[in-house]
Each structure stands twice: as structure tokens, then as C-alpha cells.
Amino acid sequence: MTTDRIRSLINRLSRLDAGADWEADLNPAQRAALDYLVRANRFSRSPSVVADYLGSTRGTVSQTLKSLARKGYLVEERSSADKRSISYRVTEAGLREAARTGPLAEALAGIGEPDLLALANDLEGLLRRAVRAGGNKPFGICRNCLHFRPREEGGFCALLSVALEPDETHRICHEQEPA
Amino acid sequence: MTTDRIRSLINRLSRLDAGADWEADLNPAQRAALDYLVRANRFSRSPSVVADYLGSTRGTVSQTLKSLARKGYLVEERSSADKRSISYRVTEAGLREAARTGPLAEALAGIGEPDLLALANDLEGLLRRAVRAGGNKPFGICRNCLHFRPREEGGFCALLSVALEPDETHRICHEQEPA
DNA sequence: GTGAATAGTATCGAGTCGATATTATTGCAA
DNA sequence: TTGCAATAATATCGACTCGATACTATTCAC
């Protein structure tokens, strides 16, 4: 079965790549959370949302984020609007850790850009299907959202009624609905 | 960066797929080990070799395999030749568990065979590069090995000097060296 | 035949993970 | 406005992963 082969390949690739994380004093779950937080906008950096993204639970993610904070890669930022929720901000040290590369990144570096783009698109399509199959939220980029309104500088979110900084419009949002 | 995107896609796919394992009372490490054992030949089912394949350590894998054995998915088979080594055999129950599918398999089921083959080849090339970059062993299929000699039925391994059953020649071998 | 390499395991500490329960806080409806 | 349900985060439990280290048994090479 080709499907089994692909499943096995994806898991092995991810596993080999994760092996390199340990040298960076992050485990795979911590790395995955940090990777997400680096790319997420300010509305999407709470334990609940990270849990949703990673297909995990609030309890687990809560612990993961606390341990990343202990290591100095994240900072808690309690919201004044909703006193229940917490947003985590990635620190400079966190950005440095997130930028570390493993064997997978090395392997990708040796491939030409056209092939990379084709592979990225294939995998993106596959992810879309897997997300549908598993009943997860899409978690797309702000800019490609139903509620996104472009402005001269940055944009505006019609759902949350807030102005968006230019670089925020390229970040992952948990409210995103594909346009 | 397209490379970052691909890295993130592969990890997320593997993560979403792993989520389904828990319903099958396996965790991702156990699933990965079981998947490998199903496809490995009789010379390649020891803790050391599994550790090598998964990019883990003997200690960790030893525990993982023991816990799979406790659940009835594996059976220990001590070798008489080398009394230090153990080979694990997958039971019927283990085969059933290994055959369970997650959201990733569902997603793959909706894609045409030509596209699947193209994707599988791309990922295989990527894996080869990642394996080289990480200094891991290739772990190819017996049939494509330097030491493989075809026979009317099955084949013969010139390295270990043993006859091979027909279906053994399609299994993963830790001694494999690409022809 | 002795010492080094190898195979497997036990143990330690930090952490994941699902499950469950608990505390704060918010929102809605009567 | 009170009251109750939903929500956000966390604590706790037990099984397990993971690297590191130490240990035993066995095999191999000189």
C-alpha cells in the first residue's frame, strides 16, 4: 500500500527530526508548541488554542507551556479583558531555540525551490484533508480569512473588530475561516 | 521559508496522526516500534536495531518493546545462537493494532494513486537525505541489497549466508546496503 | 584466555499524555 | 440580579518516553 508507505515516511521523518531537539533541551512537544507560538498571532497563543492546534489537551499543553516558560523561552501575559485567559509571548531566547535546525532542515536545504514548493503544496493539501478527517480547526493565516479586510497599512478583523499590524496579517489565527 | 513550512507540515501531520493512536491504547513511540516490527525481517527485530531505526536509544526501546509485549502485541524470542540477543515477533493482536488507521490514512485514501506515488517518491528522497544528514543507517528492503542473491523461490543473503523465504525478501533489513 | 566490545536491562529525573477534578471567571437567562 | 452553565487554566494520577548512567551476561579478538 502506498498510503501505508507515506504514513510511515511522514512519521519517520518527523521522528528523525525530533531526535535533534533533545540537543536543544526541548522535547518534541515543546518544540512543536514553540514552533506554533512563533507563527501565531496575539489572539492565538493561549493553552486552549495551542492544544487545539496540536491535537492535544489543555492540561497537557498547560504543563508544556509552563515548562517552556521556566526555561525562559516564553513569558506569561495575562489579559485584562478576560482574567481567565493567558497569552504566551516568545522571548528572544525562544526565537533562537525555534530557529535551530535538524537533519530534516539539512535535507531540505539540498532541494531546489521549485521542488520544495511542489512538495509543500502537496503536504498542505494532505494536511487540509487530515484536518477535515480528524475534525480539527483549519488554523490558517489571517490574511486568507473570511473576516480579513485589507487597509493601507496592515488590515482589520471584522470578527474581532480590531486593527491589525502589517506582519500580524501573515500569522496563524485560531479564528481563521478560509475565504 | 519554504523549508520551515515543510518541516512544520511534516511535524503537524505526524502529530495529528499520532493523536489517533491513543484510542488504540498505543502511544506514538509504541506505534512507531510496532509499525517497524511488522515490516522488518527476522534479523532486524531486536531492541538495538529498533533503536537505531527510530533514532532512539537501546534503553528506551527496551522498555517500549517490553510494554508492547505486556499488552500482548509482541512475543519475545530468545536466540539460541547468540544468547545476548532477543528478537520480538508481532502477534495476531499486534497485526490488528498496527492495521488501525488515523486521520492521515483517511486523508490519503482520498488521493489518486499517481499523486500518491509521486508524493511517496518525494518523501523517500527527502528521507534518504535526512538519514544521510543525521548519520543514520538506510534500513532498506532486503531485495534491493548488495548482498541479495535471487533464487527460484525467495533468495539468499551473501552476507549472513542464509536462505530467504519469498516474503522475507520484501522486508526491512538493518544490514541492507543499497545495490 | 583475558580483556574489550556488544546486547539487553534497571534506575533516575524531567516531562508527555489522557482522564478527572478543582478553581476562577464570564455570560446568559429567568 | 441572582443563579447556573460554560469556559480558561491548573493540579493530580498513573503509564509511559527519553537521555544518561550503571550494570550483567555473553561473545569476540588478539
Side-chain angles (χ1 to χ4, degrees):
Chain A
M1 307 301 208
T2 316
T3 61
D4 282 359
R5 212 166 115 227
I6 292 177
R7 215 173 98 106
S8 149
L9 281 165
I10 287 176
N11 286 324
R12 190 144 123 87
L13 277 167
S14 147
R15 206 161 193 86
L16 286 179
D17 194 45
D21 291 347
W22 294 98
E23 290 159 25
D25 102 308
L26 299 174
N27 62 39
Q30 290 168 354
R31 151 77 67 174
L34 188 57
D35 266 357
Y36 166 77
L37 289 173
V38 166
R39 312 162 142 253
N41 71 11
R42 62 189 141 122
F43 313 116
S44 313
R45 297 199 212 109
S46 65
S48 298
V49 177
V50 176
D52 230 8
Y53 183 82
L54 297 178
S56 184
T57 62
R58 280 186 317 238
T60 298
V61 170
S62 177
Q63 304 290 37
T64 301
L65 298 186
K66 288 222 166 289
S67 100
L68 280 171
R70 266 199 303 280
K71 291 178 183 171
Y73 301 143
L74 299 180
V75 174
E76 276 191 16
E77 282 179 342
R78 301 214 87 105
S79 154
S80 49
D82 186 338
K83 282 176 194 155
R84 292 171 302 180
S85 64
I86 296 186
S87 184
Y88 283 90
R89 187 173 52 77
V90 180
T91 64
E92 281 299 316
L95 286 174
R96 274 198 302 279
E97 283 303 313
R100 277 176 183 268
T101 63
L104 181 50
E106 255 182 85
L108 287 165
I111 298 178
E113 188 67 18
D115 289 348
L116 283 182
L117 276 173
L119 179 57
N121 285 335
D122 286 355
L123 290 176
E124 221 146 67
L126 187 56
L127 179 62
R128 240 193 306 280
R129 286 167 179 277
V131 161
R132 276 186 62 81
N136 298 89
K137 273 196 292 187
F139 275 94
I141 285 172
C142 175
R143 224 170 216 320
N144 310 331
C145 177
L146 203 63
H147 307 109
F148 177 74
R149 305 281 180 276
R151 289 279 180 280
E152 333 69 58
E153 286 281 298
F156 181 80
C157 176
L159 180 69
L160 305 172
S161 301
V162 285
L164 301 162
E165 297 289 316
D167 80 303
E168 266 184 326
T169 68
H170 294 286
R171 290 177 179 273
I172 298 174
C173 183
H174 73 118
E175 299 282 16
Q176 203 251 20
E177 288 176 64
Chain B
M1 305 303 199
T2 316
T3 60
D4 281 0
R5 212 164 113 228
I6 292 178
R7 215 174 100 105
S8 147
L9 282 165
I10 287 177
N11 286 324
R12 191 144 122 86
L13 277 167
S14 146
R15 206 162 194 84
L16 286 179
D17 194 45
D21 290 347
W22 294 99
E23 291 159 26
D25 101 310
L26 299 174
N27 63 38
Q30 289 168 354
R31 150 77 68 174
L34 189 57
D35 266 358
Y36 167 77
L37 289 173
V38 166
R39 314 163 139 251
N41 70 11
R42 62 189 142 121
F43 313 114
S44 313
R45 297 199 212 109
S46 66
S48 299
V49 177
V50 176
D52 231 7
Y53 183 82
L54 297 178
S56 184
T57 62
R58 281 178 317 204
T60 299
V61 170
S62 177
Q63 303 292 36
T64 300
L65 298 187
K66 287 220 167 290
S67 98
L68 282 170
R70 265 198 303 281
K71 290 178 184 172
Y73 300 144
L74 299 180
V75 174
E76 277 191 15
E77 283 179 342
R78 302 213 86 107
S79 153
S80 49
D82 186 338
K83 281 176 195 157
R84 291 172 303 180
S85 64
I86 296 186
S87 184
Y88 284 90
R89 188 174 51 78
V90 180
T91 63
E92 280 300 316
L95 286 174
R96 274 198 302 278
E97 283 304 312
R100 277 176 184 270
T101 63
L104 181 51
E106 255 182 86
L108 287 165
I111 298 178
E113 188 67 18
D115 288 348
L116 283 182
L117 275 173
L119 179 57
N121 285 335
D122 286 355
L123 290 176
E124 221 145 68
L126 188 55
L127 179 61
R128 240 193 306 279
R129 286 166 179 277
V131 161
R132 276 184 63 82
N136 298 88
K137 273 197 290 187
F139 275 94
I141 285 172
C142 175
R143 231 180 202 330
N144 310 331
C145 176
L146 204 61
H147 307 109
F148 177 73
R149 303 282 179 278
R151 289 279 180 281
E152 332 69 59
E153 285 282 298
F156 180 79
C157 175
L159 181 69
L160 305 173
S161 302
V162 285
L164 302 162
E165 296 289 314
D167 79 304
E168 267 184 326
T169 69
H170 294 287
R171 290 178 178 271
I172 298 174
C173 183
H174 73 120
E175 300 282 16
Q176 202 252 18
E177 288 176 63

